[in-house]
């Protein structure tokens, strides 16, 4: 099955929104690393309902009027990756967790590095808030959208002091 995509302008650059059927499959960054997210064949569809709804909800998020997303998601990854990505969905707006916190949450406390790797391959950025995952020291760590985008998103959610700890 091919996937539909469209572009969205945002304060963190041009985002590529991707849907598989009636579910959101990816939110990709302007400077996306090749093969970070594998999607298969894509076709542009600027009128796809899921993508229009995603763009609307992201617009509300960036405007500061939305704290939770209400979208059907299609995470394509290994069972472990999907478990990590589902755990990301439980991090409340304006809060952060460490990689160790996520590893403990999924019942695998020694999998901190594997959690970091899965977090780095999260296909549905912002919606599944991988930007809310920080290092154990409290410092910002790598982010597919770049540390400036991570800092922006955390500041948008009221974490200015943490965001400035670059």
């Amino acid at each position: 099955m091919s996937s539909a995509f469209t572009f969205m302008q945002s304060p963190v650059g041009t985002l590529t929104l991707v849907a598989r059927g009636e579910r959101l499959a990816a939110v990709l960054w302007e400077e996306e690393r090749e093969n970070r997210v594998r999607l298969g064949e894509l076709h542009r569809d600027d009128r796809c309902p899921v993508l229009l709804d995603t763009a609307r909800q992201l617009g509300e998020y960036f405007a500061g009027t939305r704290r939770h997303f209400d979208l059907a998601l299609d995470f394509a990854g290994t069972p472990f990756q999907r478990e990590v990505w589902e755990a990301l969905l439980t991090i409340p707006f304006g809060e952060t967790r460490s990689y160790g916190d996520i590893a403990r949450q999924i019942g695998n406390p020694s999998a901190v590095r594997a959690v970091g790797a899965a977090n780095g391959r999260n296909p549905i950025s912002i919606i599944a808030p991988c930007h809310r995952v920080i290092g154990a020291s409290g410092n910002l760590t790598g982010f597919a959208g770049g540390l400036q985008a991570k800092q922006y998103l955390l500041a948008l959610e009221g974490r200015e002091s943490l965001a400035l700890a670059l």
Side-chain angles (χ1 to χ4, degrees), residues 15-17 24-29 36 54 58 123-127:
L15 300 174
T16 303
L17 311 179
L24 181 66
V27 175
L28 305 175
W29 301 96
R36 184 182 75 82
T54 299
L58 281 168
I124 308 177
S125 298
I126 305 171
I127 309 291

Side-chain angles (χ1 to χ4, degrees), residues 27 31 47 73 136 140 148 164:
V27 175
E31 300 294 324
R47 295 195 288 179
L73 306 179
L140 299 187
Q148 284 187 314
L164 297 175

